[in-house]
Amino acid sequence: MKRMMIASLFLIIGCKEEKKEAVVTQPESEMKENVVQETKPQVNESEEAKKWLEESIEDYFKSDLGSLDKNMQKITTKDYYDYKGDAMNVDMDVDGSLTEQEFKNKWKGKFDIKKAGVGVGFLIAGQDWSKIQVTKCQLLSENKNSYLFDVVLTDKEPKEVYPIKVKVMKENGSFLIADVLQDVPEFN
């Protein structure tokens, strides 16, 4: 009888261990399935850059006139901010302004100086505006962390249209304007 009890005890212990193994294996396969289901679709960075650019431009023109320079600095790379600052002040009677030739010599290797918008403001050629809106923002090209957009800004009150090309770069996890290609309007 003792032998039978010992044999039964081993049988019971053996059965319990098998059940544990089956229970342990089941949650592992369920976990693998859950991981696959919870993966997020890949983010389309060019769409994020476009959205950021549209919002940043419109917010820039909604800000107070006294904070435009500070806001420009927040949404542009340091190089572009310095470049556009020089372009806006070419041949002006202000401290640090450059002659046209000095401007060309300083920036010709880094930017397309023919499209700098010399003598005109950031993003638009007009000095006064009522409500600037982005009416077109189309991706032209992308290269790693750089995106080039064809942008049209419209000011409905004076009925002005400003076509520009804007290069956006992603630096340290955030987008910044790295260049704006704009023509100087010709007046009659």
Side-chain angles (χ1 to χ4, degrees):
M1 180 123 161
K2 247 181 172 180
R3 287 184 187 175
M4 204 175 210
M5 285 181 85
I6 292 174
S8 298
L9 191 61
F10 281 124
L11 186 61
I12 292 172
I13 292 173
C15 289
K16 283 186 179 180
E17 285 180 18
E18 284 180 29
K19 286 182 182 177
K20 283 183 184 176
E21 285 178 22
V23 171
V24 170
T25 349
Q26 192 174 8
E28 283 180 25
S29 65
E30 286 176 12
M31 256 191 343
K32 287 179 184 175
E33 288 176 20
N34 288 342
V35 171
V36 171
Q37 290 173 355
E38 292 178 18
T39 57
K40 295 180 181 178
Q42 285 194 339
V43 178
N44 186 345
E45 279 201 350
S46 64
E47 278 300 313
E48 281 186 18
K50 176 183 175 178
K51 184 179 178 185
W52 174 87
L53 181 61
E54 291 171 338
E55 290 173 5
S56 295
I57 289 173
E58 290 187 3
D59 288 347
Y60 171 80
F61 285 104
K62 288 177 188 173
S63 63
D64 295 330
L65 292 176
S67 60
L68 286 177
D69 185 61
K70 186 173 120 183
N71 290 340
M72 178 184 167
Q73 205 167 4
K74 286 181 184 178
I75 63 172
T76 61
T77 62
K78 182 179 177 354
D79 279 348
Y80 179 74
Y81 175 79
D82 293 341
Y83 165 71
K84 186 58 184 177
D86 285 348
M88 289 188 291
N89 294 318
V90 165
D91 290 330
M92 296 211 124
D93 191 20
V94 293
D95 287 342
S97 74
L98 305 172
T99 66
E100 191 170 346
Q101 191 57 48
E102 289 171 330
F103 174 76
K104 287 178 182 178
N105 291 341
K106 181 176 180 180
W107 295 107
K108 68 181 171 192
K110 208 163 205 173
F111 292 96
D112 182 357
I113 55 177
K114 294 176 188 165
K115 300 286 186 174
V118 172
V120 299
F122 174 57
L123 298 171
I124 65 170
Q127 291 182 355
D128 297 319
W129 62 87
S130 61
K131 184 178 180 185
I132 299 290
Q133 292 182 313
V134 178
T135 53
K136 177 182 179 183
C137 188
Q138 181 180 4
L139 180 68
L140 294 175
S141 66
E142 64 181 286
N143 184 8
K144 292 184 183 177
N145 292 330
S146 176
Y147 309 92
L148 183 64
F149 292 95
D150 183 17
V151 179
V152 175
L153 305 177
T154 306
D155 193 357
K156 297 197 185 239
E157 191 59 36
K159 296 181 181 176
E160 294 290 335
V161 177
Y162 305 101
I164 55 176
K165 304 244 184 310
V166 181
K167 181 180 177 184
V168 174
M169 293 182 71
K170 190 165 188 179
E171 284 185 355
N172 301 322
S174 60
F175 296 108
L176 295 170
I177 294 173
D179 197 4
V180 177
L181 304 173
Q182 65 187 124
D183 293 315
V184 177
E186 295 179 21
F187 300 104
N188 294 334

